[in-house]
Structures are given as C-alpha cells and as structure tokens.
Amino acid sequence: DASKEGADAAKSSVDVARDALILGERPWIKVKHRIVNPLMFNVSGWKGPIAKMSIEDTLENVGSTVALNVLSWEDVIPIDPDHSLRTAIARRNQWCDSNRHPDPKGLSGYMLFPKDPQTQVSTVGPFMETVIKAEVTNSDVLSGKVGFVLVGCVCYRSSFEPKSIPTHETRFMYYLGKMQDGGFNPYISPEGTAVDLQLIEVGDGMSAD
C-alpha cells in the first residue's frame, strides 16, 4: 500500500545518506614503498639460507577520520617457473582474505590519524630452497634465472562502522625489475646482491576498498 511504499522510500533515502556519509568521512589508507636494502641471496637464516631485502613503507590516511586496527603485511615471492604470478597472488589473497574478519584474540593493530603518515621498515624474502624451485627451465635466455614480486596488504577499520563488517583493505603488488630499453626485466640470477632492482607496479595488482 501507499504507506508501505512511503516507508520503503524513506528507508532507502536514509540508506543512501548513510552510505554517502561513510564514503565522505571514512579513512582511506594509501601506502608507498621504497627499497632500503637490495635483495641479497644465500643469507644465513634461522631455518636455512634465505633471500632477503628491506622495504620502507609509508602509510598515510588520506581520509577524514581516524583508521583503527591498522595491520599490514608484505613479502617478496618468486614468480612461478611458468612466468605466472599464481603463487604470489594466492599468498596475498590468503593473508588479506583471512584479515577481512580478524581474530579478536589476535593483534589489535594501531590507529592512523588523517594526514599523519607513519613510516616502517620490514625485512622480507623467501627461503633459497623456494627460490631455486622457481628457476626458469624452459627458456634458453632465462634458464636458471628467477623473477620476484613484492605483494602485500593493509587492513583497517573505520571508527563509526561496526566490527562485524569486513575490514577495508589496500592491496598492492610490484615487480622487482631492472629498467632497460624503455621497459623492464624482472629476471635475475639468484646469487650475490641484486643492486639494480626497482619496484614496478603491476597494472592490476593495486586495489583499495
């Protein structure tokens, strides 16, 4: 009847107004990355030789309100021997998806206020056993070489949204590559120190919600 239609219309208007308020006032976290220490191979690790590098992350809340329960994760993962990013994407999805609904008994994270960037440095990288398994074997030019990507995610909450809804997330992915001839080459020999690698955005590897 007319009264029900009027009530539904009013509820719809309220929902639209609430959604607009959330979009306009909610926090939005962006993250910038910089290589601090280059990728080094065959470094002694607790459970065996590793490859490692240090990344500086600058997290900035470009929204209007404080972000709560901020947690971030990243890692350097070899490109698959078939040149796909399947393993890297699966690993990123595993962490990011599990933190859509974080364990309330786990880490609570920290607050990030608007326009007050926070910088942190993380040391990441795979075991050398994983690196060797990722060596290309089906190419004369690339045989024995490995490519790498940096993947990760920042998750956080808005102060005025219930804890029952999924966290917001900023996901990222970069190739580690050498710039050459107007393009880049992500494949290197896994030995010594790779001093020429740069972070190069993967076209569809960035997202924010």
Side-chain angles (χ1 to χ4, degrees), residues 15-154:
D15 290 343
V16 170
R18 182 198 61 207
D19 292 344
L21 174 66
I22 290 174
L23 286 175
E25 297 297 324
R26 56 157 285 194
W28 289 89
I29 292 181
K30 70 175 185 178
V31 56
K32 295 181 179 179
H33 305 86
R34 182 175 70 88
I35 296 174
V36 178
N37 293 313
L39 185 61
M40 300 174 60
F41 296 98
N42 282 305
V43 179
S44 295
W46 179 45
K47 294 185 177 181
I50 61 173
K52 73 171 186 177
M53 70 186 305
S54 295
I55 305 291
E56 178 187 85
D57 305 326
T58 301
L59 283 71
E60 182 178 3
N61 178 2
V62 296
S64 300
T65 54
V66 64
L68 303 178
N69 305 126
V70 180
L71 291 171
S72 61
W73 164 87
E74 64 192 354
D75 203 358
V76 169
I77 297 177
I79 297 172
D80 293 310
D82 62 1
H83 312 295
S84 75
L85 303 178
R86 182 176 58 255
T87 298
I89 292 173
R91 179 68 184 96
R92 185 183 66 170
N93 288 346
Q94 179 187 28
W95 192 93
C96 298
D97 291 347
S98 67
N99 280 276
R100 282 293 191 186
H101 294 281
D103 183 349
K105 297 180 181 179
L107 295 174
S108 60
Y110 57 90
M111 294 188 294
L112 189 61
F113 289 90
K115 313 303 187 292
D116 186 17
Q118 174 164 316
T119 298
Q120 57 195 30
V121 175
S122 63
T123 299
V124 294
F127 287 104
M128 284 302 301
E129 180 181 1
T130 302
V131 173
I132 299 306
K133 287 180 179 178
E135 288 183 356
V136 176
T137 59
N138 60 352
S139 167
D140 293 336
V141 177
L142 300 177
S143 182
K145 295 186 175 182
V146 185
F148 297 88
V149 290
L150 172 72
V151 297
C153 185
V154 182

Side-chain angles (χ1 to χ4, degrees), residues 4-17:
K4 184 178 185 302
E5 291 178 358
D8 290 344
K11 182 179 183 302
S12 177
S13 297
V14 170
D15 290 343
V16 170

Side-chain angles (χ1 to χ4, degrees), residues 149-192:
V149 290
L150 172 72
V151 297
C153 185
V154 182
C155 64
Y156 59 99
R157 295 189 184 281
S158 164
S159 59
F160 48 82
E161 293 176 312
K163 289 187 175 183
S164 58
I165 70 170
T167 60
H168 299 291
E169 290 187 346
T170 302
R171 302 187 182 201
F172 54 87
M173 180 181 295
Y174 299 86
Y175 284 108
L176 302 179
K178 294 182 179 181
M179 301 302 296
Q180 54 186 212
D181 301 326
F184 72 94
N185 176 19
Y187 287 95
I188 58 174
S189 297
E191 56 191 20

